[in-house]
Each structure stands twice: as structure tokens, then as C-alpha cells.
Amino acid sequence: MGIFDGLPVPSDKTYLRDELARIDESWAVARFDSLPHVVHILTSKDRETDVLLLKEQSDVVEEVVDEVVHAYHGGFNKAIQNYSQILRLFSESTEKLGDLKHDLAEAKRSLGTRNKQLHQLWYRSVTLRHIIALLDQIEGISKVPSRIEKLIADKQFYAAIQVYLQSSLMLEREGLQTVGALQDVRSELAKLRGALFYKILDDLDAHLYNRGEYSSVASSIYERDDDVPTTTAVAASRMSSQPLSRRTRALKGDSQFGVRGLTNGSHRTSSIEEGSSFDGHDEEDSVEHDEATDSKLFSHQLPPWLSDSTPDEFIEAVRKSDDPLHVKYLQTLVQCLCMLGKVAAAGAIICQKLRPTIHEIIISKIKAHMETRNLSKSVCSQGDRMVAAGLHLVKGQSEASILSKEKPQNGISHSGTHLAVSPVSPLMVPGGKAQAAAKDLLDSILDTIVKIFENHVVVGELLELKASQHDINTPKSLPTSVNWNTDSEASQVTGGYTISYPLTVLQSECQQLICEILRATPEAASADAAAQTAKVAKKSSKKDKRNAPEDGTTFTFRFTDATVSISNQGADLIRQGWGKKAPNSAHEGYGSAAVLPEQGIYLAASIYRPVLQFTDKITSMLPKKHSQLVIDGLLTFTENFVKDHLLPTMFVDYRKGVQQAISSAAAFRPRAHSTTYTPTVEKGRPVLQGLLAIDLLAKEVLGWAQAMPKFAADLVKYVQTFLERTFERCRTSYMEAVLEKLSYRLIGRHDIEKLMRLDPASACLPDILGHSVSHSEAVGSDLELRELFLSLPSIKQDNLIRDDNKLILLASLSDSLEYVADSIERLGQAVPRAASQSEDNSRNQATSPRNLASFADEYRKLATDCLKVLRVEMQLETVFHLQEMKNREYLEDDDAEEPDDFVISLTSQITRRDEGMAPFISGEKRNYVFGGICGIAANASIKALADMRSINLFGVQQICRNTIALEQAMAAIPYIDGESVQQNLDRVRTYFELLNMPFETLIAFIAEHDQMFTPTEYSNLLKVNVPGRDTPSDAQHRLSEILSH
């Protein structure tokens, strides 16, 4: 861009721009030097041409200048005119300033003559303005009472206190103290202060017990009695996920208002099912996220009870807080009391009303529980009537058939057995209706108490925090010379109200309720109260000597109102009648008997777990300095009561029940109401009444152990004691049946015991677990046992158990012992699971399962001994009857139509005993008891041939008839191994039929079947005298040669 581009050249002379562009810019420099140009022309070869070029450029420049002058001529003229006008105005202003200076000098001389009068007028104007302002203030103050009343009616307590404090401060200002017209206002404000205090205290009292508008839980127990009990949630808030004490500790550095957790957001609600997992869809997750975001945004909004308040630091902190609504409201009420300077009075009154109110709440909960139960009963009764009406329409169903279905098949009522031996009624057993009702009732009441105590912890920690920061009994913004509370001792700052006091009272009331449920007198329930009180006094005296602050009050078992130190102000307020609204019902009962089907000391089992959960919740809320209150609190009382009263009573009662069960005449009397064995007790398994009762008692005691895991080890020891005593009684019955009998002596021999264990038939015995035996060992042990029994001296009748009732008792005792052993094993597996649920029960888990398992082994071993005695006894009976075949001549004259008398006696005895034992042992065990008869009968019959003097053809037929009779008797026994029976007896018949063969035929048979019988048995065939059979003299030699090859 050139230096001449901005010149105002007309559009019709644009050529000038081109001409100007050709002019060298050196002509337009600020410090023009003409010498170079002159030298250039003088040294140029064509001077005229250069001069002519310069003239043309000069003409162009002149023309451009003319155009510029023409364009700016009007503006130059107007500027010159403006400068002329400005000069004229400056001249006129100078003249006027001179006149003004002259006038001011004249005014100064005039005012100087009346200076005093002007000062008086100014002072009067100032005074009048002050009077007008005071009148405005007086007019505003006169409207304050009505404004405060309106705010109180709208429950805008914080705003009302702000107005009250501002008005009180104005009334104390200089100038208004002597105004007589404001005395009435002062009097009204004083009255409003009291009314405001009572309104705040009423609202605080309602919210402490979850009966307020902003409470976390509102229960129907405070509705009218004729209403149906319901439960509504005013604000869905639950127990905080973090202890309140932790939340409060983070506030020590907050502002002087001390709002608990207003900025850290740590007081948040958590679900009741905290810790459970929920797998939802993405849409549900997004909805929950939106709801959480909305609730967080809502929590940062200004609460409705602060809508009319003047913004200040406290309101801003409340607005930013993430605390639940009810916590914010409690914070506001405590802040109001602190601003009023009425904390001591409020604390004293809250302490005074605490116990009666808790007593009333517990009674109301019990009444609501009773109404709910009555309502459910009425609904159930209507349903039962409808069902009964429908059942009447069913044809062909008689009352007798219904009763037969309800009656147990074994004819024994378990409830009857329970009532006969158990020290508690069916309602009171573990898991019974009374236990469940007591647990439900206490769970409901303790849950309410926990929520109430949460509110007390909020208020108590706020008061402690504020007490540590400033004087909370002097109204804010008031001169300290105004003495609102004359008691200035540190212990009276909160009127005796601390976190420890409500905890003590709440636990005391819960203890009294538990005592009522347990029917325990105060003296019995608090047997250790004197020792604990002395312990507390000793601790307190030591703390006083050290001048150290008391960290907490040890909970003692008190049954009267806890005494509190009430300040003068609180005592005055109580005397005025505020506390009269609370009924004095601390010494009345709670009416729990109307809800519980039964009361008694055994309900301590159902109370233990709710108390343990209650203690855990309380512990999570308390700061560490109050932990001693929980250690010496309700849980300690319950545990001491269980240890000092319930367990000894339980041991005595159940020991008496065990003694009655095993010592009665019918305890070990076998009873069966069917001819077949039933494997389950419910369907009629004939377990001995004594052992069935012991099993029920053991299950009950271990049921108490599951309900009280901490005391499981003690209760398991009780069960072990009872089982040991019962085992000794069973052992006595067993010995009474087998004492001095041959079968008992035989099974006690080590060699026979070992052979019986190897016997394959013993696989069904309960103490044979996974013992594998080879076939050769099994066959060898069976044969060896038979030889041992047959080699015994002649068996006498006195060596045998001839009383069938004793044998039936052994069978029944075996099955009953096995039933109890199985039950003990199941209980032993359940006990450690119950014990492991307790936090401090680790030292009780080591011995219980092993000891119970050892008892099960002992019971099972005795049951096995009973079966072994029965098996050996039947084998010995067989040997006893068949030994009559020895030293006898079987020279019969006719065909055998009937078996021998001793065989008839044996078969009838087998049939009779089988029928007697059939209902008491299973088919597998019957096979074990009677399965050894045929084998030993076959061996005994074959071996008897050696002692026979002679036998003929009819004698052989007689023996074969005996085996047929025995086979028929054995075949009548169910579950018996018929193939084994036939095989053994066929061997006997084959053996004796060989006597009918001629000698040569017999020798040929032996040559072909040398392994069928033993050499001795073949030799006996030749030794016996058989009429009509020719036996050469070298028969034995020829037999030996045949068998040797």
C-alpha cells in the first residue's frame, strides 16, 4: 500500500493515483534531501528529459493538492468557528467565577454573625431523627410477639428464636431500656420464651421417640386402641452404615454451631438388607441411580422448617449436609435449645420423662402385637370354619378314619412322651410357639429401642460437642450479665443428660421386660447386682481420687427410676407441671403374658439372640468411652442369668427327666403294634420308650445349644452326662439278659470276636464300616466258627437264654440303640455349626463333635453286641437240640412222617422267636440273627454220624425229614437267604443218602466227588453200622488210597 493511497481523489480523476504511484517515495520522506536529486540532474545525459519529467510530477502533485484542499475546506472553516466559540465561553465563565467569589465572601460575613443558633438547629434535627428511628423500632418490636406466635404455630422454631433474640438484643440497647411502653413487650417476650421452649421440648420429645412429623419411623402403637394396627414409614431412613460416634468425631473442627456431619456427608441411610446381593436389569439400575441422585439433590435443599429463617452459618451448613431429614431436624431442635440457653432444663426434663416414656412405648408395642395376633387368629378361624364346612361335604369319611390317621402307627404319642419326660411343655421347647412368640416380640421391641437410642445418640453427642465449645445455657447474642442459669457447674451443663443415661435406662427397662417374660423376680434376676454395684462404686471412687473425668457409668441391674442430677432450672420446670404428662408407670408390668402363650425361665433361649443383636447395634453407635456401658449391660445380664440360673435349672430338670425316663417300669419294655418292622419312628418304629425319651431330651438340650451358641459347650456336656447315664442303664439291661450265659461268654472271646468280624454276614452290623473280607477268608471264618461251636462241651439248658422276652428285649434294645446312635451323630454334626455362629465361642468348638461321636460309637457297639448274642444264641440253640442225634440208633421200622421231637421243638422255637423279633429289627438284621442256623445245623447233623451206633434206610429218611422240616421253618422267615439254606440242607441229605449205597458204589462216588465232603466225613460213612451193607475190612485203606490221589 502506497503513502498516497489515503488521499481524497475524486472518482473521475483516478489517473492521479497512477501518476502518484509512479513518483518515487524518496520525495515524501520526513527529512527530504534535495542534493541527491540535483546531482542526478546535473550528471544526467538527458537533462531536459529529466527536468520535463519532474515538471510533470510537480503538476500531478499540485493537482492532487488542489483536490485535497477542495475536499477539506468546509471542515477547516467549521473548526475555526468552533474554536472561536470556545474562546468566548471561557471568557464569560471567568467573569461569573469572579462574581461567585464575591458572593461567597459576602455570605461568609453574614453567617459568621449567627454560628451558635445554627449549631443548636443541627443538634435538634439529629435528635429528632433519632427519636423517629426509636419510634420505628418500638413499633416494630411491638409486632414481634404476634410474629413469634405465628412462627411457633407454623413450627418455624429456628426463625422464631432468631426473631426473639434480635428483639431481646434491641430491648437491651441504650435508649429503650427506660421506655415504659416496652415493659409489656418484655413481659410477653419472656412468656413467649417459655412457650417456645416447651414447644421445642415437646417436638424434641416426640422426635426422640419417633413420633414426630419428621421422624424416621412412625409406629401405629400411638394410634387409638380401636384402630387396626398398622406400620407406616414417615421417612424411609434406617440405621446408619457408620457409627454415630465416628461421624461426630469428624466435627470437632467445624464452626461454632457444631452441626454434626453437615459437610462430610457421612450420615447416610443404608438398607435393612445390607450385605445382600441384588442382580437387577440395566433399566432398574439406572432408575435406582436416578433416585439416588434425586435424593441427594433433595437433601441439599433447604428443609421446610427453615424456610422462614434468616440465612446464617447454621442454615447454610444444614442445607449442604447429607444427613437424613430426621437427623437435620434433631440438629435444628438442639441448636434452638442452645440459642435459648435452655439445655440444662431440657436435659433434666428429658431424663425425668425417659423411663415412663420407654415403659409406655414397650406396653404399646405389646398391645399392638396382641392386636395383630388376635386379628390373624380371627382370619385363621374364619378360614378353618370354611375348610371345616367343605370337609363336611366329603362323603364316606368318618371320624374314626380321621382319628386313626392322626394316631401314630406305633400307638405311641410323641407329645405324650414329651410331656412325660421333658421339663418343659411343647410350647416351650426350642422352636416352640412360646419361644417363637417371645423372640418375635423382643425383636420388635428391641428394634424400636435401637431406633430410639439412635436419636438419643444424635442429641447426646451434639450436646457434648456444643458443651465443649461454649456456654450452651446462655442465650446467643445476649449479654453475659443476664443470668439465665444460676447453676454453672460443669456436670450441670446438660441437666444430667448424657449418652450414658438413656442407654442405662433403656437397658434397665429391657431387663425388666425380660424378667417379666422369664417370670424372674428382681432378686433372682439380679443375684450379681450387689457385686456389680460394689464394682462400680469402687471404680467411681478411684476415678474421683484421680480427679479424672468419668468415661461411662457401669450398667447395674436396677429396678427403680435412675436418679439424675437435675439443675435448679430443670427442677423448677418439672415442678411447673410439664413432667406430669408422663404417667408414673415405671413399676407396673408390661402385659407380656397376654401375648406369649407361656412364660418361664426357658424363654431365655429365645431372648439371647435378640439381645446379642441389640448389643451389636448399640455398640456400633457408641463412642469408645461409653463401651463399658455395653460390656456391663443387657447382654452381660442375659449371659449371667443363663449361666447362673438357666443352665443349673436346665441341668437339674433334664437330669430328673432322664432319670424318670430310664427308671420307669415301661422304659425298657418292648412294645409293638404291628407284625412288621417300620424303619421310621413316625410310621411306628418300636423304639424303647426310655431311649426314645432320651433322644427327645438330647435333641431338646442341643436345641437350646443352637439357640445359645456361647453356652453350647456346657449344654453338650449335659447331653454327654445324660447319654452316659443312659448307656449305663442300657448296659445293665443287656447284662441282665445275658449274664452267665454261654453266648455272652463266647462273643467276649477274642478268637470268636475276630472270626465273627470276618464273617460276611456281619456286614450288616452298624460297627462294620467299610471292612472288606475276601471270599476265602469269609468261608474259612464261617467254617471255623461252626467247628468251634460244635467242639464245645455238651450244652446244657441253663447255658442258654430260654426266656423269649429277653431275646426280644435284646432285639429291641439293639434297634433302639442304633436309632439313638444315628440321632447322636446327626446332632453332633449340627452342634459345631450352631456354636460357630458366636463371635467369642472359638474355645468351645474343639471337643463337642468328637465326644458325641464317641458316644454314638459306644451305643452302636452295644447294639452290635446284642445282635451278636442273638445270632450266637440261635446257633447254640440249634446245637443244643441237634446234639440228641449223638449216641443214638436210627433203626426205624416205618417211613418218616413227622420229624423228630427235638427238631419240632427247634423249628417251633425258631418260628416263635422270629415272630417275636420281627417288629423290632429289620429284615437284614433278622437274616443275620437266624442266618447261621442252617449252616451249623448241617455241620452238626453230619458230625453226629460219627457218634451214631447204627442207622438203617428208614433212619436216613427220618434225618432227611428233619432237614425238610428245618428248611420249611427257615423258609418262613422273610429276608432269609433261601438258596444258602437249601444248599446247606441238601448237603446233609446227600451225605446221609450215601449210606443207602452199596460199598462199591459208594467208593465210586467218593472217587468222583472227593471234594464234596472231608476225609473224616467220608470215613464216618464207612464206620457207622448200616444193616444190610457189606463193608470189607480194608474199606478204610481203600478210602485212604482214593482220597490220597
Side-chain angles (χ1 to χ4, degrees):
M1 182 178 179
I3 61 175
F4 306 112
D5 292 343
L7 296 177
V9 179
S11 59
D12 56 346
K13 295 182 178 181
T14 56
Y15 63 90
L16 294 176
R17 293 184 181 276
D18 298 334
E19 295 294 338
L20 286 173
R22 286 195 287 270
I23 299 174
D24 191 1
E25 292 185 358
S26 63
W27 293 93
V29 296
R31 296 178 62 87
F32 178 73
D33 188 5
S34 62
L35 181 59
H37 298 284
V38 174
V39 173
H40 174 71
I41 293 175
L42 291 178
T43 60
S44 175
K45 294 180 181 182
D46 191 1
R47 298 175 182 175
E48 293 179 359
T49 302
D50 291 339
V51 171
L52 182 60
L53 181 61
L54 288 175
K55 286 182 180 181
E56 289 177 358
Q57 291 179 352
S58 176
D59 292 339
V60 172
V61 172
E62 288 179 358
E63 189 175 358
V64 173
V65 171
D66 290 339
E67 292 297 331
V68 172
V69 171
H70 179 73
Y72 289 101
H73 181 269
F76 288 152
N77 291 337
K78 189 173 181 179
I80 293 171
Q81 292 176 4
N82 289 339
Y83 278 115
S84 299
Q85 186 70 20
I86 290 171
L87 183 59
R88 184 182 60 81
L89 291 175
F90 270 109
S91 300
E92 291 178 358
S93 298
T94 303
E95 294 177 358
K96 289 181 179 180
L97 284 174
D99 295 339
L100 181 59
K101 288 180 180 180
H102 183 268
D103 293 339
L104 288 174
E106 291 295 331
K108 183 178 180 180
R109 287 194 298 270
S110 299
L111 291 174
T113 58
R114 297 194 178 185
N115 186 25
K116 187 176 181 180
Q117 294 179 358
L118 289 175
H119 181 73
Q120 291 176 354
L121 291 175
W122 172 81
Y123 182 77
R124 183 176 297 176
S125 65
V126 172
T127 305
L128 290 175
R129 281 196 299 269
H130 183 65
I131 292 173
I132 291 172
L134 288 177
L135 292 175
D136 291 340
Q137 292 177 5
I138 291 171
E139 184 179 3
I141 291 174
S142 64
K143 298 178 181 179
V144 165
S146 60
R147 184 182 174 189
I148 293 177
E149 289 177 354
K150 184 178 182 303
L151 291 173
I152 292 175
D154 295 338
K155 290 192 174 182
Q156 297 286 332
F157 299 127
Y158 191 79
I161 291 178
Q162 284 182 325
V163 174
Y164 165 76
L165 293 177
Q166 293 172 2
S167 303
S168 300
L169 184 61
M170 292 175 62
L171 288 174
E172 297 302 324
R173 292 176 57 183
E174 185 179 359
L176 295 181
Q177 294 180 355
T178 59
V179 179
L182 296 178
Q183 295 299 325
D184 294 339
V185 176
R186 288 190 179 90
S187 177
E188 290 182 10
L189 286 179
K191 293 179 181 179
L192 285 175
R193 179 175 183 260
L196 186 58
F197 167 70
Y198 289 126
K199 287 288 185 181
I200 294 173
L201 195 57
D202 284 336
D203 215 28
L204 177 61
D205 183 76
H207 283 80
L208 278 175
Y209 303 104
N210 292 319
R211 295 178 292 187
E213 181 180 356
Y214 302 103
S215 296
S216 60
V217 177
S219 177
S220 63
I221 59 175
Y222 301 103
E223 297 178 1
R224 292 176 299 179
D225 294 339
D226 55 347
D227 292 340
V228 178
T230 58
T231 303
T232 59
V234 175
S237 175
R238 295 293 186 266
M239 296 290 295
S240 172
S241 60
Q242 297 183 9
L244 295 179
S245 57
R246 297 179 184 175
R247 298 194 295 267
T248 305
R249 293 191 197 107
L251 304 171
K252 298 285 179 82
D254 286 354
S255 63
Q256 62 177 352
F257 292 92
V259 180
R260 185 179 58 81
L262 292 179
T263 58
N264 58 5
S266 61
H267 192 299
R268 297 177 182 174
T269 58
S270 62
S271 172
I272 294 178
E273 299 177 357
E274 184 176 356
S276 62
S277 61
F278 177 78
D279 298 330
H281 301 287
D282 294 338
E283 296 179 359
E284 295 175 355
D285 294 339
S286 62
V287 170
E288 292 177 358
H289 177 71
D290 294 340
E291 291 178 355
T293 305
D294 295 340
S295 63
K296 187 173 182 180
L297 292 175
F298 178 76
S299 66
H300 287 170
Q301 295 178 359
L302 192 65
W305 63 83
L306 296 176
S307 58
D308 295 340
S309 304
T310 303
D312 58 10
E313 189 177 356
F314 174 78
I315 293 177
E316 184 65 18
V318 170
R319 187 182 67 80
K320 294 180 180 179
S321 173
D322 292 332
D323 289 343
L325 202 64
H326 72 283
V327 175
K328 291 183 178 180
Y329 194 71
L330 290 174
Q331 294 168 354
T332 304
L333 294 179
V334 173
Q335 183 69 17
C336 291
L337 291 175
C338 293
M339 295 171 69
L340 278 178
K342 289 283 190 178
V343 172
I349 296 176
I350 292 174
C351 291
Q352 184 72 14
K353 282 184 59 94
L354 179 60
R355 185 178 293 274
T357 305
I358 295 298
H359 194 90
E360 176 191 355
I361 288 174
I362 294 175
I363 293 177
S364 302
K365 289 289 292 183
I366 293 175
K367 289 181 179 178
H369 204 78
M370 179 177 61
E371 292 175 359
T372 304
R373 190 188 67 172
N374 293 338
L375 181 63
S376 62
K377 279 186 177 180
S378 63
V379 173
C380 293
S381 63
Q382 293 177 2
D384 293 341
R385 286 195 294 270
M386 295 175 62
V387 172
L391 289 176
H392 283 301
L393 299 177
V394 180
K395 296 181 179 180
Q397 185 175 8
S398 62
E399 294 182 359
S401 64
I402 298 175
L403 292 176
S404 64
K405 291 181 180 180
E406 293 179 353
K407 184 178 180 181
Q409 295 184 11
N410 61 355
I412 302 169
S413 173
H414 289 288
S415 61
T417 304
H418 178 273
L419 290 175
V421 298
S422 178
V424 296
S425 66
L427 297 175
M428 291 288 281
V429 297
K433 291 184 178 180
Q435 299 287 344
K439 184 179 183 301
D440 292 342
L441 177 64
L442 203 60
D443 276 335
S444 175
I445 292 175
L446 292 182
D447 183 61
T448 302
I449 296 298
V450 166
K451 293 172 182 175
I452 291 173
F453 182 67
E454 182 184 11
N455 297 332
H456 280 281
V457 170
V458 173
V459 174
E461 290 190 331
L462 282 174
L463 292 180
E464 289 182 5
L465 182 61
K466 292 176 181 297
S468 64
Q469 293 176 350
H470 51 75
D471 187 6
I472 58 177
N473 288 317
T474 300
K476 288 182 178 292
S477 304
L478 288 184
T480 56
S481 61
V482 180
N483 189 5
W484 296 96
N485 186 5
T486 57
D487 193 352
S488 60
E489 296 182 3
S491 60
Q492 301 298 319
V493 172
T494 58
Y497 179 80
T498 58
I499 297 177
S500 61
Y501 181 78
L503 178 59
T504 302
V505 173
L506 291 175
Q507 292 191 105
S508 176
E509 285 294 322
C510 293
Q511 177 195 331
Q512 293 186 58
L513 172 64
I514 291 174
C515 289
E516 180 178 290
I517 294 174
L518 302 179
R519 287 183 178 175
T521 60
E523 293 78 9
S526 58
D528 298 330
Q532 291 201 12
T533 305
K535 178 182 177 182
V536 174
K538 185 176 181 181
K539 290 182 179 180
S540 301
S541 62
K542 289 182 179 180
K543 291 180 180 180
D544 293 339
K545 291 178 181 180
R546 292 194 303 263
N547 294 324
E550 186 176 356
D551 292 338
T553 305
T554 303
F555 176 72
T556 56
F557 307 144
R558 56 176 63 86
F559 292 87
T560 58
D561 284 339
T563 58
V564 294
S565 178
I566 302 175
S567 62
N568 296 336
Q569 183 183 161
D572 293 339
L573 291 171
I574 293 172
R575 283 194 294 269
Q576 291 175 12
W578 192 88
K580 292 180 180 179
K581 294 186 290 184
N584 186 17
S585 56
H587 298 284
E588 298 176 1
Y590 299 92
S592 59
V595 180
L596 302 178
E598 191 173 342
Q599 292 178 327
I601 190 173
Y602 282 91
L603 289 180
S606 60
I607 288 171
Y608 177 76
R609 194 173 296 276
V611 170
L612 182 63
Q613 296 172 351
F614 168 80
T615 303
D616 291 341
K617 294 177 182 178
I618 293 298
T619 304
S620 66
M621 298 179 189
L622 286 174
K624 291 183 178 180
K625 66 179 182 178
H626 296 295
S627 60
Q628 188 65 30
L629 293 173
V630 181
I631 295 175
D632 295 333
L634 191 61
L635 181 60
T636 302
F637 160 74
T638 305
E639 290 178 350
N640 289 339
F641 184 85
V642 171
K643 180 175 64 176
D644 299 334
H645 298 279
L646 177 61
L647 292 183
T649 301
M650 189 178 294
F651 180 75
V652 173
D653 291 346
Y654 278 91
R655 183 178 60 183
K656 186 184 299 182
V658 169
Q659 187 63 29
Q660 292 177 354
I662 63 179
S663 61
S664 63
F668 290 88
R669 183 182 301 162
R671 293 181 181 180
H673 295 267
S674 63
T675 57
T676 58
Y677 178 78
T678 306
T680 59
V681 175
E682 293 76 11
K683 294 183 179 180
R685 183 175 181 175
V687 180
L688 292 173
Q689 284 295 291
L691 293 180
L692 183 62
I694 296 303
D695 179 64
L696 292 175
L697 292 177
K699 288 179 179 178
E700 276 190 21
V701 176
L702 293 178
W704 301 124
Q706 291 180 348
M708 301 177 292
K710 183 173 183 178
F711 307 97
D714 295 330
L715 292 169
V716 169
K717 290 180 181 178
Y718 294 171
V719 174
Q720 293 168 0
T721 303
F722 302 153
L723 291 177
E724 184 177 0
R725 183 168 299 182
T726 305
F727 180 78
E728 293 299 328
R729 179 65 180 86
C730 294
R731 185 79 182 176
T732 301
S733 298
Y734 167 75
M735 292 304 298
E736 289 176 354
V738 302
L739 189 63
E740 296 183 356
K741 301 301 179 182
L742 181 60
S743 57
Y744 171 68
R745 294 197 301 269
L746 288 176
I747 67 171
R749 287 172 50 176
H750 178 70
D751 55 341
I752 293 180
E753 191 273 335
K754 181 179 179 180
L755 292 173
M756 292 187 72
R757 187 166 61 250
L758 295 176
D759 190 353
S762 299
C764 66
L765 298 181
D767 64 339
I768 304 299
L769 301 176
H771 183 73
S772 60
V773 182
S774 64
H775 179 71
S776 59
E777 288 180 340
V779 174
S781 62
D782 188 25
L783 292 176
E784 191 172 351
L785 271 175
R786 296 176 189 175
E787 292 299 328
L788 282 174
F789 291 156
L790 293 175
S791 63
L792 293 174
S794 179
I795 300 175
K796 298 181 180 179
Q797 190 171 359
D798 294 339
N799 296 332
L800 303 175
I801 303 175
R802 307 300 296 174
D803 188 356
D804 291 346
N805 292 327
K806 290 184 178 181
L807 296 175
I808 295 174
L809 172 62
L810 290 176
S812 177
L813 184 62
S814 172
D815 183 69
S816 300
L817 286 169
E818 187 173 353
Y819 168 79
V820 175
D822 294 339
S823 178
I824 293 172
E825 275 192 348
R826 290 191 298 270
L827 295 174
Q829 295 173 359
V831 168
R833 290 198 300 268
S836 62
Q837 296 174 1
S838 178
E839 294 83 2
D840 52 353
N841 197 44
S842 60
R843 62 179 179 275
N844 295 333
Q845 300 176 9
T847 60
S848 300
R850 180 177 57 83
N851 288 339
L852 288 179
S854 64
F855 274 99
D857 293 340
E858 289 184 2
Y859 274 72
R860 202 166 272 120
K861 185 179 184 305
L862 184 58
T864 302
D865 290 343
C866 292
L867 291 177
K868 288 180 178 180
V869 166
L870 290 176
R871 179 180 176 87
V872 173
E873 188 67 28
M874 294 308 302
Q875 290 176 322
L876 294 179
E877 281 283 355
T878 303
V879 174
F880 170 73
H881 284 82
L882 295 183
Q883 67 186 1
E884 294 188 16
M885 295 174 64
K886 299 178 179 180
N887 301 321
R888 178 177 173 178
E889 293 182 352
Y890 269 92
L891 301 176
E892 304 295 337
D893 297 332
D894 300 320
D895 291 340
E897 297 180 358
E898 295 292 335
D900 289 328
D901 292 339
F902 62 86
V903 173
I904 295 175
S905 174
L906 176 61
T907 54
S908 63
Q909 189 181 63
I910 291 173
T911 303
R912 184 176 65 254
R913 291 183 176 181
D914 174 65
E915 292 176 352
M917 296 181 190
F920 299 101
I921 53 177
S922 63
E924 189 179 21
K925 305 293 175 57
R926 288 167 67 187
N927 182 32
Y928 176 75
V929 172
F930 297 97
I933 292 177
C934 288
I936 200 168
N939 284 25
S941 299
I942 293 173
K943 192 175 182 180
L945 183 62
D947 297 325
M948 290 183 187
R949 292 190 294 272
S950 61
I951 184 172
N952 62 4
L953 176 63
F954 293 114
V956 172
Q957 292 180 355
Q958 182 65 46
I959 293 176
C960 292
R961 182 67 186 85
N962 291 343
T963 59
I964 292 173
L966 184 60
E967 182 178 357
Q968 291 174 345
M970 296 300 297
I973 302 176
Y975 305 101
I976 203 72
D977 188 0
E979 183 179 354
S980 175
V981 170
Q982 184 178 3
Q983 183 179 357
N984 283 312
L985 297 180
D986 281 348
R987 185 170 181 270
V988 175
R989 288 191 285 268
T990 300
Y991 180 75
F992 279 92
E993 286 175 355
L994 293 177
L995 297 174
N996 296 330
M997 296 181 180
F999 174 77
E1000 295 299 333
T1001 306
L1002 177 61
I1003 291 297
F1005 179 86
I1006 294 174
E1008 294 178 0
H1009 304 87
D1010 58 336
Q1011 299 297 327
M1012 180 175 292
F1013 299 99
T1014 65
T1016 303
E1017 292 172 348
Y1018 279 125
S1019 177
N1020 292 333
L1021 289 174
L1022 299 177
K1023 290 179 180 180
V1024 68
N1025 180 25
V1026 179
R1029 186 184 68 176
D1030 295 332
T1031 304
S1033 59
D1034 60 345
Q1036 293 293 336
H1037 178 70
R1038 293 177 60 183
L1039 177 64
S1040 301
E1041 289 181 352
I1042 294 173
L1043 295 178
S1044 62
H1045 290 296

